Amino acid sequence: MWYVIEGYDGEDVLDRRLSARSAHLARLVALRDHGRLLLAGPCPAIDTEDPGPAGFSGSLVVAEFESLEAARAWAEADPYLAAGVYVRVEVRPFRRVLP
């Protein structure tokens, strides 16, 4: 089943986000390479593609897991969470309709 994983950034965490980015992306690439990633990306804190020092308000991942528990376990192991980028992570089921 598909699951939405939303991570919410804390205040002034852009440096931590940049430091943990390669480890965070490596996990997403592994999901993609196994055909389990629908989409992933950050949410700019301001209305622009490149928010610069304004940073991001969080990230969104839609990926396939065996269960809600497996999706939560994957999310809890995120390098952004370990680095203190995310202050909160929510995981919930997602039903893909389009495309």
Side-chain angles (χ1 to χ4, degrees), residues 23-45:
H24 171 80
L25 289 177
R27 297 175 78 235
L28 294 170
V29 167
L31 285 176
R32 181 201 64 196
D33 290 351
H34 288 98
R36 296 174 40 206
L37 182 66
L38 183 61
L39 66 91
C43 301

Side-chain angles (χ1 to χ4, degrees), residues 2-7 17 21 23-33 36-44 49 56 58-65 74 78 80 86 94 96:
W2 295 100
Y3 295 89
V4 172
I5 300 170
E6 287 185 270
R17 179 182 263 275
R21 186 171 189 265
H24 171 80
L25 289 177
R27 297 175 78 235
L28 294 170
V29 167
L31 285 176
R32 181 201 64 196
D33 290 351
R36 296 174 40 206
L37 182 66
L38 183 61
L39 66 91
C43 301
E49 277 285 316
F56 300 89
S59 302
L60 176 79
V61 174
V62 179
E64 189 174 37
F65 293 93
W74 187 90
D78 195 301
Y80 280 174
Y86 293 156
F94 177 78
R96 182 178 180 182

